Amino acid sequence: MKNELFDPAFYPFFMEKLQARLSGTSVIPIDQAERIQQSIEFVLANGEEGTLPQRFMQGQERLRRRLRNLQNLYQEIQDNYQSFGIESLEESLNEIGNFFSTYDIEYAAAEVDQAFLDYQLAEAVTTDFVGIDFYERYLHNLAAETFFIKNIPEAHIHELLNVYQQELGFDYRKDVNNLSATRA
């Protein structure tokens, strides 16, 4: 990946984006400016060739396509998952739904708030992944788990969860970290 910070054309482009974000004020917190810079770099990394504005537009379009594909995968998971009342799974799916309505390709493309995704996957997504990259990995892993669980008889899963609940002394609806890992 090209390091945009070494490109002299980056700074005028960055300042133009920063000015557009200011919208009437002349002050922006440094951490917000850093997030915007990371966002621009993320979008540019998804672009191809050409000038910075061309690459930025290409990157935005690619991210929009990825977002649409990810929304389709999310809908497929929604149509097929069985939560068995596990709160962290249900809440995490709701949070992911919020991601689609709040993802800001222009100024926050590299941001991700993993803190709201309480459902722990069997194969965790590392924090090296940012923005849509994180959500793609999370949803692909969740889809694998969803379709795995869908092929196990529901009665068998209920029986297994009830045994876990009795033997370990916890309410599986609140304390199960991962549904597909309960297969002993």
Side-chain angles (χ1 to χ4, degrees):
M1 180 169 111
K2 180 180 176 184
N3 188 343
E4 303 300 338
L5 300 179
F6 295 125
D7 183 349
F10 178 78
Y11 293 100
F13 184 76
F14 171 61
M15 291 307 293
E16 179 184 311
K17 291 291 180 190
L18 212 50
Q19 288 293 326
R21 184 60 168 192
L22 289 174
S23 66
T25 182
S26 60
V27 179
I28 189 167
I30 189 73
D31 61 329
Q32 186 178 1
E34 288 172 346
R35 286 193 306 272
I36 292 170
Q37 176 186 327
Q38 292 165 352
S39 177
I40 292 169
E41 291 179 72
F42 186 80
V43 173
L44 289 170
N46 279 275
E48 293 175 16
E49 294 189 22
T51 66
L52 284 174
Q54 290 168 332
R55 286 180 43 223
F56 191 77
M57 288 176 50
Q58 293 166 359
Q60 285 183 312
E61 185 52 39
R62 181 169 182 232
L63 289 172
R64 284 186 192 97
R65 281 192 309 270
R66 289 174 65 191
L67 190 63
R68 283 190 300 271
N69 291 339
L70 198 55
Q71 285 175 305
N72 292 336
L73 177 61
Y74 174 73
Q75 188 57 54
E76 202 171 334
I77 291 168
Q78 289 282 76
D79 293 343
N80 288 284
Y81 89 101
Q82 297 167 287
S83 74
F84 299 95
I86 296 172
E87 294 172 3
S88 64
L89 176 56
E90 294 168 357
E91 291 167 2
S92 293
L93 282 170
N94 287 335
E95 287 296 326
I96 292 169
N98 293 335
F99 163 76
F100 293 115
S101 62
T102 60
Y103 186 56
D104 182 355
I105 291 173
E106 184 96 17
Y107 296 106
E111 290 187 30
V112 63
D113 191 349
Q114 299 123 332
F116 292 108
L117 299 179
D118 293 334
Y119 184 71
Q120 297 176 16
L121 299 167
E123 183 180 331
V125 179
T126 66
T127 56
D128 296 344
F129 291 93
V130 297
I132 197 169
D133 293 344
F134 175 86
Y135 284 95
E136 278 178 334
R137 181 61 62 100
Y138 188 92
L139 284 173
H140 280 111
N141 291 355
L142 183 58
E145 291 182 18
T146 297
F147 294 116
F148 171 77
I149 294 296
K150 189 171 175 131
N151 287 298
I152 299 173
E154 202 172 314
H156 179 74
I157 293 174
H158 278 292
E159 179 182 343
L160 187 60
L161 289 171
N162 285 324
V163 167
Y164 269 36
Q165 182 169 283
Q166 291 170 359
E167 288 184 13
L168 299 176
F170 63 78
D171 182 348
Y172 73 82
R173 289 167 197 85
K174 296 185 185 317
D175 294 326
V176 164
N177 292 326
N178 181 272
L179 185 57
S180 68
T182 59
R183 62 186 193 281

